[in-house]
Amino acid sequence: MKEDHSIGLPQLPNHIVTAARKTKLCAFSVALEGWRRGLTLKWYTKDSEHFQNMTVFGVNPPGRLFSLSSKKRTHYFFRTRGDKVTNEAVEIGSDKELTKIWLDKAGIPVPKGKGFAEGASEEEILDYSIGIGFPLVLKPTNGSLGNGVITNIKNENELKKSLKYVRNILGYGEVIIERYVAGKEYRVYVIEDKTIAAYNRVPANIIGDGVHTVEELITLKNEQRKKNPRLFSCLIEIDIEILEEIEKEGYSLESIPKKGDIIYLRKKTNVSSGGDPIDVTDELPNSIKEIAIKAINAIPGLYHGGVDIIVNEHLPPEEGAVVIELNPTAQIGGILYPIQGKARDIPAAIIDYYFPETKDFATKKSRVYFDLNAALEPLQNRSAIEVELPKAPIGTLYAKKFIVQGNVTRYKYHRWLKSNAVTLNLHGFIKNTVDNEIEIVVGGTEKENLNTFKDLITNNQNLAKVSKVLEESWKEYIKVGFEITEMFNMNKLKTVESAIKKLERDLKSTEKELYRVQKENKKIQDSRSWKYGMSLKKMARLVRN
């Protein structure tokens, strides 16, 4: 197994993004960058009047819609998409067939194919598909996150099966049929005429080590992914698709692949379904980057977004590269936390574009952040439809950790310290560590206020008897606000979590066993002895009648 080489941006360490999952991570990273630069940050629900004229998809729970304001202007954002991107551009980008028409008109290479309306018959789709030739790709016109995309369909039977799955089971009536293009798939993020980042999306895979089974290798790969803030919620789930893929490769879950053997578990490359994001920003040829830039500029009103490109590296770029999709509201977590390579600062590039006057305040070294869950709580419980955050501390951050010993664990003493910290514009926390000892971390932009707070620690004999104060420099991150953390028993919580995990493991085991049993039953039913036996039973029944 390869080691986990994920490298995040220095201003986005893992622990400050734990509350930001999937598309929340995209919004949080952009919002945090703007807030750290001194811009006013507000979060909204979808009911806010500010977003009535902005195209927003889905239910969108709080954490995706926000605004950033300077003294001169305000810009509104849906995840990574700002209000400079027009609704017309969003509508084109969200319709794969319409996207192809615009790109083709601009001379951008796209796969040969055609869209079919919900009312199109299976025969009509099959006739067209046979005409352009296999292998093919089937995908929903308005799908997202790779849902319903089936690649490398090799024959008519596979296509019929795929159509039934996508149109009848998943419910995507409108579909696109395209010629399958073999090659590596890349997501390229572009702002106007500049490529900001690019990463290769590799389908979910494992690498044999000659020791572990396929199932164990998947578990080990998931342990890697759990360490990555983008991938920990995109684990490789063993489902029917994966079982079929490993069977095609000649393996089972109990097989032990040879050392170095790569086994691809899915055909589609989406990170959300277990794919690996690998940074290639510096290695991707300029000719491919130019295609991505031209694709963004081909859509009126689309000033920034993601471009998905497949490149056949055995052919020249002008022949072997095709654009398969545009993403006006692109996810950027894969390049913020690639499994290999270097993280790329798309959030800073977006804020530079919308607020160029703040470039000098770019926050690569900022050590302050806000609690996303706390910020969104009034929106979650529906007590508000918008929330404005306090301004970020701007300037050099001075911070200390004090270990205070003595009779110092009274809650009233902690509340008194918090009140003084807030008055002095200091941020941080107090927590109990062991009996007769507390830990205090405080930070702010005024060094004198930090010294004043230090003197106050020993200055209230009515609430605490301090015997000793140890002082250390604090170079870690500080959450704005001031918290008091009391000790509590985690045993019950751990028991519940363990029970849930066991139920999940049992469910997966049952699903795998069901798949095996179904396969065995099908083999039996297809066998001659089964058919002969069934014929005898039918004959006997007729004789009795």
Side-chain angles (χ1 to χ4, degrees):
M1 293 289 292
K2 288 186 179 180
E3 295 180 2
D4 181 12
H5 297 299
S6 59
I7 302 172
L9 296 169
Q11 68 270 32
L12 287 174
N14 294 15
H15 71 277
I16 76 169
V17 299
T18 51
R21 306 275 183 102
K22 298 182 179 178
T23 54
K24 268 190 187 178
L25 175 60
C26 300
F28 178 65
S29 62
V30 177
L32 180 64
E33 176 68 25
W35 176 79
R36 281 171 162 172
R37 296 190 189 190
L39 299 172
T40 299
L41 170 61
K42 289 184 180 181
W43 293 97
Y44 302 86
T45 69
K46 64 183 180 65
D47 302 315
S48 171
E49 62 180 11
H50 298 292
F51 290 88
Q52 297 306 307
N53 296 320
M54 188 175 184
T55 300
V56 174
F57 297 106
V59 177
N60 287 303
R64 278 82 172 172
L65 304 172
F66 63 97
S67 69
L68 291 165
S69 305
S70 65
K71 291 180 180 179
K72 295 181 179 180
R73 63 188 178 280
T74 296
H75 286 294
Y76 295 91
F77 295 84
F78 171 48
R79 289 158 42 184
T80 56
R81 169 169 43 95
D83 54 14
K84 287 187 178 184
V85 177
T86 66
N87 287 340
E88 180 191 7
V90 176
E91 289 168 10
I92 293 171
S94 62
D95 186 317
K96 295 179 177 63
E97 175 67 7
L98 200 53
T99 298
K100 283 186 65 175
I101 292 170
W102 277 90
L103 293 177
D104 191 45
K105 186 168 63 173
I108 310 297
V110 293
K112 185 178 181 180
K114 179 182 174 182
F116 293 87
E118 190 169 353
S121 67
E122 182 178 293
E123 290 73 19
E124 184 182 348
I125 297 173
L126 288 172
D127 286 345
Y128 176 79
S129 302
I130 293 168
I132 65 172
F134 294 94
L136 298 170
V137 174
L138 171 67
K139 55 188 176 183
T141 302
N142 297 309
S144 62
L145 301 176
N147 295 323
V149 177
I150 301 177
T151 66
N152 200 15
I153 300 169
K154 295 184 175 67
N155 54 54
E156 190 174 338
N157 286 335
E158 285 187 16
L159 179 57
K160 286 179 179 179
K161 181 181 175 182
S162 301
L163 284 170
K164 182 177 179 182
Y165 176 69
V166 174
R167 302 186 91 195
N168 299 341
I169 297 176
L170 296 184
Y172 292 113
E174 291 187 27
V175 295
I176 295 174
I177 291 288
E178 289 179 347
R179 280 281 298 171
Y180 171 72
V181 180
K184 291 186 176 180
E185 188 172 323
Y186 299 94
R187 163 68 58 85
V188 185
Y189 197 88
V190 173
I191 297 181
E192 287 199 341
D193 59 352
K194 186 177 181 182
T195 297
I196 308 300
Y199 65 96
N200 177 209
R201 301 195 305 189
V202 181
N205 65 88
I206 52 174
I207 301 175
D209 59 6
V211 177
H212 294 94
T213 66
V214 168
E215 188 168 12
E216 289 168 343
L217 289 169
I218 292 173
T219 300
L220 291 171
K221 184 67 175 282
N222 280 335
E223 290 303 315
Q224 285 185 13
R225 296 176 78 85
K226 287 175 184 177
K227 299 173 186 176
N228 183 300
R230 170 65 181 103
L231 306 181
F232 81 101
S233 58
C234 304
L235 302 182
I236 301 171
E237 301 290 345
I238 299 176
D239 53 19
I240 299 301
E241 180 187 356
I242 283 181
L243 291 170
E244 288 179 348
E245 286 299 314
I246 62 175
E247 186 179 340
K248 287 177 185 176
E249 296 287 328
Y251 298 95
S252 69
L253 291 176
E254 293 76 27
S255 303
I256 299 177
K258 294 178 183 178
K259 187 174 182 179
D261 282 358
I262 301 176
I263 303 170
Y264 291 100
L265 307 173
R266 298 192 193 279
K267 291 178 181 176
K268 57 189 177 185
T269 63
N270 300 75
V271 171
S272 57
S273 63
D276 291 341
I278 299 174
D279 168 55
V280 293
T281 306
D282 296 331
E283 294 81 21
L284 195 68
N286 288 332
S287 55
I288 305 300
K289 293 177 181 178
E290 282 299 317
I291 291 174
I293 292 169
K294 288 177 181 177
I296 288 291
N297 291 325
I299 310 300
L302 181 59
Y303 300 104
H304 61 99
V307 183
D308 292 345
I309 302 178
I310 291 180
V311 179
N312 186 329
E313 296 177 334
H314 300 295
L315 297 172
E318 60 273 12
E319 298 177 28
V322 292
V323 176
I324 57 171
E325 197 170 324
L326 296 180
N327 298 273
T329 318
Q331 286 211 44
I332 60 173
I335 198 60
L336 293 180
Y337 299 97
I339 202 165
Q340 291 180 44
K342 181 180 177 182
R344 304 293 170 164
D345 202 346
I346 294 178
I350 291 173
I351 300 302
D352 287 349
Y353 180 60
Y354 281 86
F355 297 94
E357 71 277 13
T358 68
K359 283 185 179 181
D360 292 340
F361 296 96
T363 60
K364 290 183 179 179
K365 296 182 180 179
S366 177
R367 292 190 288 135
V368 294
Y369 69 103
F370 60 87
D371 186 327
L372 182 60
N373 282 337
L376 299 180
E377 186 176 356
L379 306 181
Q380 300 278 17
N381 62 29
R382 300 180 181 276
S383 62
I385 60 171
E386 63 180 65
V387 172
E388 181 177 330
L389 267 66
K391 285 290 191 75
I394 301 296
T396 303
L397 185 71
Y398 303 97
K400 294 282 186 182
K401 179 169 84 169
F402 301 104
I403 299 171
V404 185
Q405 300 173 351
N407 186 7
V408 293
T409 57
R410 290 181 66 188
Y411 187 62
K412 285 186 178 179
Y413 175 55
H414 301 173
R415 286 178 59 190
W416 178 78
L417 287 172
K418 176 180 177 177
S419 176
N420 282 284
V422 171
T423 302
L424 293 167
N425 290 318
L426 295 174
H427 308 273
F429 61 85
I430 298 171
K431 71 175 181 180
N432 290 317
T433 51
V434 295
D435 290 342
N436 302 319
E437 184 177 290
I438 60 172
E439 183 179 290
I440 308 171
V441 170
V442 286
T445 55
E446 299 293 333
K447 200 171 186 177
E448 296 77 12
N449 290 351
L450 200 62
N451 294 328
T452 301
F453 182 84
K454 178 185 175 182
D455 295 336
L456 287 168
I457 292 173
T458 57
N459 207 18
N460 194 327
Q461 295 298 311
N462 293 326
L463 296 179
K465 305 295 182 185
V466 178
S467 61
K468 191 174 185 180
V469 179
L470 303 175
E471 179 182 330
E472 300 176 8
S473 178
W474 182 262
K475 299 295 184 185
E476 303 300 320
Y477 288 78
I478 289 186
K479 183 164 56 179
V480 292
F482 203 91
E483 291 184 344
I484 300 173
T485 306
E486 299 295 330
M487 291 189 297
F488 61 96
N489 193 329
M490 290 287 289
N491 291 336
K492 289 185 178 180
L493 180 61
K494 288 179 179 177
T495 301
V496 172
E497 288 177 342
S498 298
I500 291 171
K501 287 178 180 177
K502 184 178 185 305
L503 286 171
E504 290 175 344
R505 288 196 300 270
D506 290 346
L507 178 61
K508 289 177 184 176
S509 177
T510 302
E511 287 175 343
K512 285 184 283 187
E513 186 60 31
L514 176 62
Y515 177 75
R516 291 192 185 99
V517 171
Q518 288 173 337
K519 281 190 61 181
E520 289 300 320
N521 284 344
K522 192 173 186 309
K523 285 180 182 177
I524 292 170
Q525 290 172 5
D526 290 343
S527 67
R528 288 184 178 179
S529 58
W530 171 270
K531 292 175 181 176
Y532 180 67
M534 288 302 294
S535 298
L536 288 175
K537 286 178 183 178
K538 288 178 182 177
M539 190 180 297
R541 195 178 300 118
L542 287 170
V543 170
R544 284 198 300 271
N545 291 336

